[in-house]
Amino acid sequence: YYAKINAAGAGVNVAHLLPQGSLRTDVMGPDDREPTPEELQAMRDLAEKAMQEGAWGMTTGLIYVPGASTKTAELIEIAKVVAAHDGIYASHIRDEGTGLLGAVAEALQIGKSAGLAVHISHFKSSGTEAWGLIRRAAALIEEAQSAGQVVTADQYPYVASSTSLSAILMPRWARAGGQDEMVKRLDDPEKSAAIREHVETTLTERGDRAPVQIGRYHSKPNWVGRQVHEIARSENRPAADIVFEIVRNGDAGAVSFSMTEEDVRFGMQLPWVATASDGRAYLPGADKPHPRSYGTFPRKIGHYAIQEQVVTLAQAIRSATSLPAEILGLTDRGRLQVGMFADVVVFDPQTFRDTAEFADPHRYATGIKYVYVGGQPAVFDGVPTGALAGRALIRASKAVAPTESQ
């Protein structure tokens, strides 16, 4: 992501607001540097244009390249433009591991300095050394809320995340400048040695408690669905060699088992945390993506609310419906109420469960009986109708602090 302006779109997945482009890559390219005054103004102008055209706000991906090069002051200046149009600032924050508290503090600072609502995407504490930090991060957020800031977050109900293999295992400085520059550093003896040490240390620290699994890799499909350590053992090669080979061949999608169940359950009980898949629509194939793209919402409602009773059924449904609507400032949908858009899901609570697994992710949920989008049946008696009644939404109202009762 990295300082993207979102042109239009909304729904229950607040983490993705249909981004239309990256300010930094559009204006500056992938270079690891600060913008000139002229470049910063160009980004502000792009933000202004996007907001006038109906964008909901701006998102950042500060853990990725080139977003990682973006300084806080730069983000504040762009966010001020978004704030003038009552937009929101949604961020995949700079660090979800041991630096989580500093990353959350940065997001709060941006919101406070620019004067706009803040939304933290995929709220979690990632990596064994960071387990439990989500509680302290939540305390920081609630302190800001008590002081008058509008701050929300979202979460997918799994102990694993998913992104590129390089983003999981390669140091940030090695990824600066993009794929070509990263490969050049692998060819440099001194830099390659430093990268190898980082990768080996990261994999060792993760151990068996936080393995990394290949989800998509076209060069060697037989590696898909297998863990990096397992591949290394079968190939009789160091694990870092496997990582280097994959990166040289264009990188791979990977699943990182980096969270703890206790933290996941804690996060979903917070009244200001929405449910969001951070996924996308897939055609079933040979790859093994994160099952969140198939099972996020039935897992939260069916497994955690109905079966495990970690949250109430009402809480789980609110986190996927009215809460995301409130976060975006949508006043005409998100609840079953006269005068609202008829977006309705009818499910059987006894059978509404996710069936997608990490080893077999291309599996649909059970128990969904009817789905209406804008009053049109998208699923009828358990069978998709083919109706495509959804439409892009243009921002129409100011974000407000969510109320637990709605």
Side-chain angles (χ1 to χ4, degrees):
Y1 297 164
Y2 38 80
K4 288 178 177 173
I5 290 294
N6 303 306
V12 292
N13 191 350
V14 176
H16 294 297
L17 311 180
L18 298 189
Q20 294 294 316
S22 161
L23 293 181
R24 260 194 160 249
T25 51
D26 286 348
V27 175
M28 300 173 58
D31 296 341
D32 183 6
R33 62 178 177 84
E34 295 187 26
T36 65
E38 293 76 18
E39 288 169 335
L40 181 57
Q41 186 56 49
M43 288 188 279
R44 286 172 52 85
D45 291 343
L46 283 172
E48 175 66 27
K49 183 175 185 293
M51 295 307 296
Q52 289 182 5
E53 291 175 349
W56 296 93
M58 64 180 282
T59 70
T60 57
L62 304 181
I63 202 169
Y64 298 111
V65 173
S69 303
T70 313
K71 301 297 188 292
T72 306
E74 178 184 336
L75 294 170
I76 290 172
E77 287 305 307
I78 302 171
K80 286 178 179 178
V81 176
V82 176
H85 294 270
D86 294 331
I88 68 173
Y89 172 72
S91 182
H92 185 139
I93 54 179
R94 202 175 294 273
D95 195 325
E96 296 172 332
T98 55
L100 175 64
L101 300 183
V104 168
E106 179 188 36
L108 297 177
Q109 179 187 350
I110 291 167
K112 183 176 181 180
S113 298
L116 78 173
V118 171
H119 182 81
I120 296 176
S121 302
H122 347 308
F123 188 46
K124 59 179 172 293
S125 45
S126 181
T128 54
E129 293 184 353
W131 287 354
L133 277 182
I134 190 173
R135 290 164 172 77
R136 294 173 61 186
L140 283 178
I141 291 170
E142 290 174 349
E143 182 180 347
Q145 291 170 338
S146 297
Q149 275 194 263
V150 177
V151 189
T152 54
D154 64 61
Q155 175 207 50
Y156 44 83
Y158 295 90
V159 296
S161 59
S162 183
T163 185
S164 67
L165 183 70
S166 62
I168 295 171
L169 295 176
M170 299 280 282
R172 189 170 299 171
W173 61 266
R175 294 181 278 120
Q179 175 71 17
D180 291 343
E181 292 300 315
M182 184 163 54
V183 172
K184 287 180 182 178
R185 293 183 182 103
L186 295 182
D187 293 332
D188 180 288
E190 184 176 343
K191 293 177 181 177
S192 179
I195 295 170
R196 177 178 293 274
E197 182 180 359
H198 177 92
V199 170
E200 290 175 345
T201 300
T202 302
L203 286 170
T204 300
E205 288 175 347
R206 285 172 165 269
D208 293 332
R209 290 202 300 168
V212 178
Q213 177 177 303
I214 305 301
R216 183 184 65 258
Y217 182 49
H218 299 301
S219 296
K220 290 187 177 179
N222 62 311
W223 286 6
V224 172
R226 300 169 62 190
Q227 296 176 7
V228 171
H229 279 305
E230 176 198 348
I231 296 169
R233 285 193 295 267
S234 67
E235 298 272 330
N236 196 26
R237 298 165 58 189
D241 283 2
I242 302 299
V243 174
F244 279 26
E245 177 181 331
I246 291 173
V247 171
R248 288 181 184 280
N249 288 332
D251 214 346
V255 176
S256 173
F257 295 85
S258 56
M259 290 168 275
T260 176
E261 179 71 15
E262 289 77 9
D263 284 357
V264 171
R265 289 175 178 237
F266 169 80
M268 71 177 59
Q269 296 178 66
L270 298 168
W272 40 269
V273 173
T275 304
S277 71
D278 192 29
R280 61 185 177 89
Y282 279 95
L283 287 175
D287 60 343
K288 293 188 183 299
H290 196 300
R292 64 193 182 187
S293 291
Y294 288 86
T296 288
F297 298 98
R299 182 171 180 79
K300 176 72 171 287
I301 296 170
H303 175 71
Y304 282 107
I306 297 174
Q307 190 171 355
E308 295 291 312
Q309 298 184 352
V310 176
V311 294
T312 66
L313 181 57
Q315 286 175 309
I317 291 175
R318 172 183 174 269
S319 73
T321 55
S322 64
L323 177 56
E326 289 178 61
I327 290 170
L328 289 177
L330 292 168
T331 59
D332 56 2
R333 63 196 68 223
R335 295 186 300 277
L336 295 177
Q337 184 176 317
V338 174
M340 307 285 274
F341 275 86
D343 299 335
V344 182
V345 177
V346 180
F347 61 85
D348 180 351
Q350 300 303 315
T351 60
F352 189 39
R353 300 291 186 274
D354 63 307
T355 65
E357 301 172 349
F358 289 100
D360 188 11
H362 296 288
R363 298 174 63 183
Y364 298 107
T366 59
I368 298 174
K369 299 299 183 181
Y370 301 92
V371 177
Y372 291 87
V373 179
Q376 300 299 312
V379 175
F380 191 87
D381 198 19
V383 180
T385 66
L388 301 174
R391 59 187 179 87
L393 302 177
I394 301 299
R395 179 189 52 82
S397 61
K398 184 176 182 179
V400 296
T403 56
E404 190 172 354
S405 61
Q406 291 183 316

Coordinates of all heavy atoms in Angstrom, one line a residue, residues 62-127:
L62 N 3.0 1.3 5.6 CA 4.3 1.7 6.0 C 5.3 0.6 6.3 O 6.4 0.8 6.6 CB 4.2 2.6 7.3 CG 3.3 3.8 7.1 CD1 3.2 4.6 8.3 CD2 3.7 4.7 5.9
I63 N 4.8 -0.7 6.2 CA 5.7 -1.8 6.4 C 6.3 -2.2 5.0 O 7.2 -3.0 5.0 CB 4.9 -3.0 7.0 CG1 5.9 -3.9 7.7 CG2 4.0 -3.7 6.0 CD1 5.1 -4.9 8.6
Y64 N 5.7 -1.7 4.0 CA 6.1 -2.0 2.6 C 7.0 -1.0 1.9 O 7.0 0.2 2.4 CB 4.9 -2.3 1.7 CG 4.1 -3.5 2.2 CD1 2.8 -3.3 2.8 CD2 4.5 -4.8 2.2 CE1 2.0 -4.3 3.3 CE2 3.8 -5.8 2.7 CZ 2.5 -5.6 3.2 OH 1.8 -6.6 3.7
V65 N 7.6 -1.3 0.8 CA 8.4 -0.4 0.0 C 7.5 0.1 -1.1 O 6.7 -0.7 -1.7 CB 9.6 -1.2 -0.6 CG1 10.3 -0.3 -1.6 CG2 10.6 -1.6 0.5
P66 N 7.5 1.4 -1.4 CA 8.3 2.5 -0.8 C 7.7 3.2 0.4 O 8.2 4.2 0.9 CB 8.5 3.4 -1.9 CG 7.2 3.4 -2.6 CD 6.7 2.0 -2.5
G67 N 6.5 2.7 0.9 CA 5.9 3.4 2.0 C 6.8 3.5 3.3 O 6.7 4.4 4.0
A68 N 7.7 2.5 3.4 CA 8.6 2.5 4.6 C 9.5 3.7 4.6 O 10.0 4.1 5.7 CB 9.4 1.2 4.6
S69 N 9.7 4.3 3.4 CA 10.6 5.5 3.4 C 9.8 6.8 3.8 O 10.5 7.8 3.9 CB 11.1 5.7 1.9 OG 11.8 4.5 1.5
T70 N 8.5 6.7 3.9 CA 7.7 7.9 4.2 C 7.8 8.3 5.6 O 7.6 7.5 6.6 CB 6.2 7.6 3.9 OG1 6.1 7.0 2.6 CG2 5.4 8.9 3.8
K71 N 8.2 9.5 5.9 CA 8.3 10.1 7.2 C 7.0 10.6 7.7 O 6.1 10.9 7.0 CB 9.3 11.2 7.2 CG 10.7 10.9 6.8 CD 11.4 9.8 7.7 CE 12.9 9.6 7.3 NZ 13.0 8.9 6.0
T72 N 6.9 10.6 9.0 CA 5.6 11.0 9.7 C 5.2 12.4 9.2 O 4.0 12.6 8.9 CB 5.8 11.0 11.2 OG1 6.3 9.7 11.6 CG2 4.4 11.2 11.9
A73 N 6.1 13.3 9.2 CA 5.7 14.7 8.8 C 5.1 14.7 7.4 O 4.2 15.5 7.1 CB 7.0 15.6 8.9
E74 N 5.7 13.9 6.5 CA 5.1 13.9 5.1 C 3.7 13.4 5.1 O 2.8 13.9 4.4 CB 6.0 12.9 4.3 CG 5.6 12.7 2.9 CD 6.4 11.7 2.1 OE1 7.6 11.5 2.5 OE2 5.9 11.1 1.2
L75 N 3.4 12.3 5.9 CA 2.1 11.8 6.0 C 1.1 12.8 6.6 O 0.0 12.9 6.1 CB 2.1 10.5 6.8 CG 2.9 9.3 6.2 CD1 3.0 8.2 7.2 CD2 2.2 8.8 4.9
I76 N 1.6 13.5 7.6 CA 0.7 14.5 8.2 C 0.3 15.6 7.2 O -0.9 16.0 7.1 CB 1.4 15.2 9.4 CG1 1.5 14.2 10.6 CG2 0.7 16.4 9.9 CD1 2.4 14.6 11.7
E77 N 1.2 16.0 6.4 CA 0.9 17.1 5.4 C -0.1 16.6 4.4 O -1.0 17.4 4.0 CB 2.2 17.5 4.7 CG 3.1 18.4 5.6 CD 2.4 19.6 6.1 OE1 1.8 20.3 5.4 OE2 2.4 19.7 7.4
I78 N 0.0 15.4 3.9 CA -1.0 14.8 3.0 C -2.3 14.6 3.7 O -3.4 14.9 3.2 CB -0.5 13.5 2.3 CG1 0.8 13.8 1.6 CG2 -1.5 13.0 1.4 CD1 1.5 12.5 1.1
A79 N -2.3 14.1 4.9 CA -3.5 13.8 5.7 C -4.3 15.1 6.0 O -5.5 15.0 6.1 CB -3.1 13.1 7.0
K80 N -3.6 16.2 6.1 CA -4.3 17.5 6.3 C -5.3 17.8 5.2 O -6.3 18.3 5.4 CB -3.3 18.6 6.5 CG -2.6 18.6 7.8 CD -1.6 19.8 7.9 CE -0.8 19.8 9.3 NZ 0.2 20.9 9.3
V81 N -4.9 17.4 4.0 CA -5.7 17.6 2.8 C -7.0 16.8 2.9 O -8.1 17.2 2.7 CB -5.0 17.3 1.5 CG1 -5.9 17.5 0.3 CG2 -3.8 18.3 1.3
V82 N -6.7 15.5 3.3 CA -7.8 14.5 3.5 C -8.8 15.0 4.6 O -10.0 14.9 4.5 CB -7.3 13.1 3.8 CG1 -8.4 12.1 4.1 CG2 -6.4 12.7 2.6
A83 N -8.2 15.5 5.7 CA -9.0 16.0 6.8 C -9.9 17.1 6.4 O -11.0 17.2 6.9 CB -8.1 16.4 8.0
A84 N -9.4 18.0 5.5 CA -10.2 19.1 5.1 C -11.5 18.7 4.4 O -12.5 19.5 4.3 CB -9.4 20.0 4.2
H85 N -11.6 17.4 3.9 CA -12.7 16.9 3.3 C -13.4 15.8 4.2 O -14.2 15.0 3.7 CB -12.3 16.3 2.0 CG -11.9 17.2 0.9 ND1 -12.7 17.9 0.1 CD2 -10.6 17.7 0.7 CE1 -12.0 18.7 -0.7 NE2 -10.7 18.6 -0.4
D86 N -13.1 15.8 5.5 CA -13.7 14.9 6.4 C -13.4 13.4 6.1 O -14.2 12.5 6.3 CB -15.2 15.1 6.5 CG -15.6 16.4 7.2 OD1 -14.8 16.9 8.0 OD2 -16.6 17.0 6.8
G87 N -12.2 13.2 5.4 CA -11.8 11.8 5.1 C -11.2 11.1 6.3 O -11.0 11.7 7.4
I88 N -10.8 9.9 6.1 CA -10.2 9.1 7.2 C -8.8 8.7 6.8 O -8.4 8.7 5.6 CB -11.0 7.9 7.6 CG1 -11.0 6.8 6.4 CG2 -12.4 8.2 7.9 CD1 -11.6 5.5 6.8
Y89 N -8.0 8.4 7.8 CA -6.6 7.9 7.6 C -6.6 6.4 8.0 O -6.7 6.1 9.2 CB -5.6 8.7 8.3 CG -4.2 8.1 8.3 CD1 -3.4 8.2 7.2 CD2 -3.6 7.5 9.5 CE1 -2.1 7.6 7.1 CE2 -2.4 7.0 9.4 CZ -1.6 7.1 8.3 OH -0.3 6.5 8.2
A90 N -6.4 5.5 7.1 CA -6.3 4.1 7.4 C -4.9 3.6 7.1 O -4.4 3.9 6.1 CB -7.3 3.3 6.6
S91 N -4.3 2.8 8.0 CA -2.9 2.5 7.9 C -2.6 1.0 8.2 O -3.1 0.5 9.3 CB -2.1 3.4 8.8 OG -0.7 3.1 8.6
H92 N -1.9 0.4 7.3 CA -1.1 -0.8 7.7 C 0.1 -0.3 8.4 O 1.1 0.1 7.7 CB -0.8 -1.7 6.5 CG -0.1 -3.0 6.8 ND1 -0.4 -4.2 6.2 CD2 0.8 -3.3 7.7 CE1 0.3 -5.1 6.7 NE2 1.1 -4.6 7.6
I93 N 0.2 -0.2 9.7 CA 1.2 0.6 10.4 C 2.6 0.1 10.2 O 2.8 -1.0 9.7 CB 0.8 0.7 11.9 CG1 0.6 -0.7 12.5 CG2 -0.4 1.5 12.1 CD1 0.3 -0.7 13.9
R94 N 3.5 0.9 10.6 CA 5.0 0.7 10.3 C 5.6 -0.6 10.9 O 6.5 -1.2 10.4 CB 5.8 1.9 10.8 CG 7.1 2.1 10.1 CD 7.7 3.4 10.5 NE 7.0 4.6 10.1 CZ 7.2 5.2 8.9 NH1 8.0 4.6 8.0 NH2 6.5 6.3 8.6
D95 N 5.0 -1.0 12.0 CA 5.6 -2.2 12.7 C 4.5 -2.9 13.4 O 3.7 -2.3 14.2 CB 6.7 -1.8 13.6 CG 7.6 -3.0 14.1 OD1 7.1 -4.1 14.3 OD2 8.8 -2.8 14.3
E96 N 4.4 -4.2 13.3 CA 3.4 -5.0 14.0 C 4.0 -6.0 15.0 O 3.3 -6.8 15.5 CB 2.5 -5.8 13.0 CG 1.7 -4.8 12.1 CD 0.9 -5.6 11.0 OE1 1.4 -6.6 10.6 OE2 -0.1 -5.0 10.6
G97 N 5.4 -5.9 15.1 CA 6.1 -6.7 16.0 C 6.5 -6.0 17.3 O 5.6 -5.4 17.9
T98 N 7.7 -6.1 17.6 CA 8.2 -5.5 18.9 C 8.1 -3.9 18.9 O 8.1 -3.3 19.9 CB 9.6 -5.9 19.2 OG1 10.5 -5.6 18.1 CG2 9.7 -7.4 19.5
G99 N 8.0 -3.4 17.7 CA 7.8 -1.9 17.5 C 6.4 -1.5 17.4 O 6.1 -0.4 17.0
L100 N 5.4 -2.4 17.8 CA 4.0 -2.1 17.6 C 3.6 -0.8 18.3 O 2.8 0.0 17.8 CB 3.2 -3.3 18.2 CG 1.7 -3.1 18.2 CD1 1.1 -3.0 16.8 CD2 1.0 -4.3 18.9
L101 N 4.0 -0.6 19.6 CA 3.6 0.6 20.3 C 4.0 1.9 19.6 O 3.2 2.8 19.6 CB 4.1 0.5 21.7 CG 3.7 -0.7 22.6 CD1 4.2 -0.6 24.0 CD2 2.2 -0.9 22.6
G102 N 5.2 1.9 19.1 CA 5.7 3.1 18.4 C 4.9 3.3 17.1 O 4.6 4.5 16.8
A103 N 4.5 2.2 16.5 CA 3.8 2.4 15.2 C 2.4 2.9 15.5 O 1.9 3.7 14.7 CB 3.8 1.0 14.5
V104 N 1.7 2.4 16.5 CA 0.4 2.8 16.9 C 0.5 4.3 17.3 O -0.4 5.1 16.9 CB -0.2 2.0 18.0 CG1 -1.4 2.7 18.6 CG2 -0.5 0.6 17.5
A105 N 1.5 4.7 18.0 CA 1.7 6.1 18.4 C 1.8 7.0 17.2 O 1.3 8.1 17.2 CB 2.9 6.2 19.4
E106 N 2.5 6.5 16.2 CA 2.7 7.3 15.0 C 1.4 7.5 14.3 O 1.0 8.6 13.9 CB 3.7 6.6 14.0 CG 3.8 7.4 12.7 CD 4.7 6.7 11.7 OE1 4.5 5.4 11.6 OE2 5.4 7.3 10.9
A107 N 0.6 6.5 14.2 CA -0.8 6.6 13.6 C -1.6 7.6 14.4 O -2.3 8.5 13.8 CB -1.4 5.3 13.5
L108 N -1.6 7.5 15.7 CA -2.3 8.5 16.5 C -1.8 9.9 16.3 O -2.6 10.8 16.3 CB -2.3 8.0 18.0 CG -2.8 6.7 18.3 CD1 -2.6 6.3 19.8 CD2 -4.3 6.6 18.0
Q109 N -0.5 10.1 16.2 CA 0.0 11.4 16.0 C -0.4 12.0 14.7 O -0.7 13.2 14.6 CB 1.6 11.3 16.1 CG 2.2 12.7 15.8 CD 3.8 12.6 15.7 OE1 4.3 11.5 16.0 NE2 4.4 13.7 15.3
I110 N -0.4 11.2 13.6 CA -0.9 11.6 12.3 C -2.3 12.1 12.4 O -2.7 13.2 11.9 CB -0.7 10.5 11.3 CG1 0.8 10.3 11.0 CG2 -1.4 10.9 10.0 CD1 1.1 9.0 10.2
G111 N -3.2 11.3 13.1 CA -4.6 11.7 13.2 C -4.8 13.0 14.0 O -5.6 13.8 13.6
K112 N -4.0 13.1 15.1 CA -4.2 14.2 15.9 C -3.6 15.5 15.3 O -4.3 16.6 15.3 CB -3.4 14.0 17.3 CG -3.6 15.1 18.3 CD -2.9 14.8 19.6 CE -3.0 15.9 20.6 NZ -2.4 15.6 21.9
S113 N -2.5 15.4 14.6 CA -1.9 16.6 14.0 C -2.6 17.0 12.8 O -2.7 18.2 12.5 CB -0.4 16.2 13.6 OG 0.4 15.9 14.8
A114 N -3.2 16.1 12.0 CA -3.9 16.4 10.8 C -5.4 16.7 11.1 O -6.0 17.3 10.2 CB -3.7 15.3 9.8
G115 N -5.9 16.2 12.2 CA -7.3 16.4 12.5 C -8.2 15.5 11.8 O -9.3 16.0 11.3
L116 N -8.0 14.2 11.7 CA -8.9 13.3 11.1 C -8.9 11.9 11.8 O -8.1 11.6 12.6 CB -8.5 13.1 9.6 CG -7.4 12.2 9.2 CD1 -7.3 12.0 7.7 CD2 -6.0 12.6 9.8
A117 N -10.0 11.2 11.5 CA -10.2 9.9 12.1 C -9.1 8.9 11.7 O -8.6 9.0 10.5 CB -11.6 9.3 11.8
V118 N -8.7 8.0 12.6 CA -7.6 7.0 12.3 C -8.2 5.6 12.3 O -9.0 5.3 13.2 CB -6.5 7.2 13.3 CG1 -5.5 6.0 13.2 CG2 -5.8 8.5 13.2
H119 N -7.8 4.8 11.4 CA -8.2 3.4 11.4 C -7.0 2.6 11.2 O -6.2 2.8 10.2 CB -9.2 3.1 10.2 CG -9.7 1.7 10.2 ND1 -10.7 1.3 11.1 CD2 -9.3 0.6 9.5 CE1 -10.9 0.0 10.9 NE2 -10.1 -0.4 9.9
I120 N -6.7 1.6 12.1 CA -5.6 0.7 12.0 C -6.0 -0.6 11.4 O -6.8 -1.3 11.9 CB -4.9 0.6 13.4 CG1 -4.4 1.9 13.9 CG2 -3.8 -0.5 13.4 CD1 -3.8 1.9 15.3
S121 N -5.3 -0.9 10.3 CA -5.7 -2.2 9.6 C -5.0 -3.4 10.2 O -3.9 -3.3 10.6 CB -5.3 -2.0 8.1 OG -5.9 -0.9 7.5
H122 N -5.7 -4.5 10.2 CA -5.2 -5.8 10.6 C -4.5 -5.7 12.0 O -3.4 -6.1 12.2 CB -4.2 -6.4 9.6 CG -4.2 -5.8 8.3 ND1 -5.3 -5.6 7.5 CD2 -3.1 -5.4 7.5 CE1 -4.9 -5.1 6.4 NE2 -3.6 -4.9 6.4
F123 N -5.2 -5.2 13.0 CA -4.7 -4.9 14.3 C -4.2 -6.3 14.9 O -5.0 -7.2 15.1 CB -5.8 -4.3 15.2 CG -5.3 -3.8 16.5 CD1 -4.1 -3.1 16.7 CD2 -6.1 -4.1 17.7 CE1 -3.7 -2.6 17.9 CE2 -5.7 -3.6 18.9 CZ -4.5 -2.9 19.0
K124 N -2.9 -6.3 15.3 CA -2.3 -7.5 15.8 C -1.0 -7.2 16.4 O -0.4 -6.2 16.2 CB -2.2 -8.6 14.8 CG -1.4 -8.2 13.6 CD -1.3 -9.3 12.6 CE -0.6 -9.0 11.2 NZ -1.4 -8.0 10.5
S125 N -0.4 -8.2 17.2 CA 1.0 -8.2 17.6 C 1.6 -9.5 17.0 O 1.2 -10.6 17.3 CB 1.1 -8.1 19.1 OG 0.3 -9.0 19.7
S126 N 2.6 -9.2 16.1 CA 3.1 -10.3 15.2 C 4.5 -10.7 15.7 O 5.4 -9.8 15.9 CB 3.1 -9.8 13.8 OG 3.6 -10.8 12.9
G127 N 4.8 -12.0 15.8 CA 6.1 -12.4 16.2 C 6.1 -12.8 17.7 O 5.5 -12.1 18.5

